Amino acid sequence: MSIETIINEFASIAANPKKQLADYKAAGKKVIGCLPYYTPEELVYAAGMVPMGMWGSNKKTISQAKEYCATFYCTIAQLGLEMLLDGTMDQLDGVITPTICDTLRPMSQNIRVAMAKLEKMPTIFLAHPQNRKPSYGLKFCVDQYTNVKKALEEISGNEITDEALQDTIKVYNRSRAARRKFVKLANDHCDVITPTKRSAVLKASWFMLKDAYTEKLEALNAELEKLPVCDWKGTKVVTSGIVCDNPTLLKIFEENNVAIAADDVAHESRAFRVDAPEDCEDPMMALAMQFANQDYCVLLYDEHSAENRRGEFVANLVKENGAQGLILFMQQFCDPEEMEYPSLKKALDEAGVLHVKLGIDQQMRDFGQAATAIQAFADVLKANS
Ligand code: SF4
């Protein structure tokens, strides 16, 4: 298959997750909605069901969710509920609601109340440990994942055996490795993998069974490896933020010859940086260890926060990937990202990395300001290179 054909397939899945959900249901599969962040999708897959990511929507308008949400909830959380209320996700067999930030915690209860009132679907509550690395944190995480596992077994009617979970961990590790490889190849071949294509390829992973997704992605990676490394004449940036998947916004990058060298985006690389150990006897502990081993994320407690390790990590991402600067997509009303920003800025300034901060949300329809900012930033980077 050609590069173009594979990318088009990913792009059509990324653009229409509702169809993907309908297709899985028509094939007799049960599907579980997975809200962000760090949902252990492996448990859903090992139960023989399809995990489907729910990271809001660039197309919908918040209407019914307003009844349940304070106006200062971010649009990602509000649109997750909107899609559960307005029928978009009615075919789901259940939804997992992690509670990792101050918006998602109350939101998990809004969703629980709304789904029960409307008799739509079971909700599965998930509280990750704040202290995830010590043994008590690992145990707490295993306990929480065990609750999720039991709820999924009830919905699927299948027992999640250790063997099925060990096999699933291998499927997911392989998928994460393929995505890590893809982002490197996308940097080497940024003339072919434009920002919109890069986003579509990574976004499709949230809506496909991981074995099928990985097979397609490995085929794409193999084709990309055959190409000569491109001699890019434009500028390169690292992107950071929660979600940067709006095609209109990413087109502005392309219009200004700005390529994405790497990312520090929760919806993209932060979701596949860390594998679960395959040599752990207890696969539930392996999943807890995978969560414990996550780092450099604004949503996770860092006992060494005074050292500003995350800021340095992001600054290094820019340098190591040959980028000239960083574009930070700041979700409106996102406390974790906003509170982290001064530390990130300090690390970037100290490392001499130029950056620009763009306020975005998923209800954004006018991109004039963003276009001006990206164009001006590209000019600055060009002048400095
Ligand atoms: S965008 Fe920020 S506030 Fe909203 S769910 Fe994500 S982390 Fe929480």
Side-chain angles (χ1 to χ4, degrees), residues 6-21:
I6 303 174
I7 290 178
N8 286 344
E9 284 184 18
F10 281 136
S12 86
I13 289 167
N16 197 352
K18 194 177 175 191
K19 177 178 180 305
Q20 196 69 1
L21 170 58

Side-chain angles (χ1 to χ4, degrees), residues 119-162:
E119 297 179 357
K120 285 210 182 199
M121 67 189 76
T123 53
I124 305 172
F125 179 85
L126 169 59
H128 285 96
Q130 192 168 22
N131 288 291
R132 63 197 182 283
K133 292 181 190 284
S135 58
Y136 59 84
L138 287 166
K139 185 180 177 321
F140 182 90
C141 195
V142 169
D143 287 350
Q144 288 294 310
Y145 284 4
T146 302
N147 292 340
V148 173
K149 177 173 175 264
K150 281 185 196 145
L152 292 170
E153 286 174 334
E154 212 166 287
I155 295 170
S156 67
N158 299 326
E159 185 196 348
I160 302 173
T161 63
D162 281 0

Side-chain angles (χ1 to χ4, degrees), residues 37 74 76-77 101 103-104 242 299 331 333-337:
Y37 300 83
C74 67
I76 291 176
C101 75
T103 300
L104 291 176
I242 298 291
L299 297 155
Q331 284 289 332
F333 303 120
C334 177
D335 289 349
E337 286 270 318

Side-chain angles (χ1 to χ4, degrees), residues 170-179 210 213-214 217:
K170 288 184 186 138
V171 169
Y172 269 71
N173 282 348
R174 184 171 164 185
S175 180
R176 286 184 276 257
R179 280 175 280 169
K210 286 294 180 293
Y213 173 79
T214 308
L217 184 59

Side-chain angles (χ1 to χ4, degrees), residues 80 91 115 137 147 189 209 252 283 285 297 323 366 370:
Q91 283 191 294
M115 293 302 99
N147 292 340
H189 306 290
L209 276 170
I252 300 169
M285 179 54 81
C297 175
D366 178 356

